[in-house]
Amino acid sequence: QASKMSLKVQTSNITNKNDPKSINSRVFIGNLNTAVVKKSDVETIFSKYGRVVGCSVHKGYAFVQYSNERHARAAVLGENGRVLAGQGL
């Protein structure tokens, strides 16, 4: 009996699991203006491609962990080169 959870679930900060399935479901977001863009912004932008299970934001970059590889691929195709806060991802 699965129930739909609300969308405002705080995702995990864990994006560094080493199992192959996790690695292929992870997206690296480089050239990120982290002075302006926050974790919640990254989650909002990238959640339109699938279920984000983890998100970690670092100085200048971030990782988003999806529940599966198909979502990760869609995110890369959809966001690569996008200009966010004045910087091309």
Side-chain angles (χ1 to χ4, degrees), residues 18-84:
N18 290 322
D19 64 284
K21 185 179 181 295
S22 290
I23 290 168
N24 291 335
S25 304
R26 185 174 317 134
V27 176
F28 171 78
I29 303 141
N31 200 36
L32 187 65
N33 186 346
T34 49
V36 177
V37 182
K38 302 297 170 219
K39 181 182 178 200
S40 59
D41 301 322
V42 173
E43 289 172 4
T44 299
I45 291 163
F46 285 86
S47 65
K48 69 178 173 236
Y49 297 99
R51 189 162 74 87
V52 173
V53 293
C55 179
S56 58
V57 176
H58 310 271
K59 190 174 167 70
Y61 66 97
F63 286 101
V64 171
Q65 181 73 55
Y66 284 98
S67 56
N68 73 54
E69 190 177 342
R70 196 182 70 231
H71 298 158
R73 280 206 205 104
V76 170
L77 287 170
E79 298 299 322
N80 193 35
R82 169 185 173 146
V83 176
L84 183 63

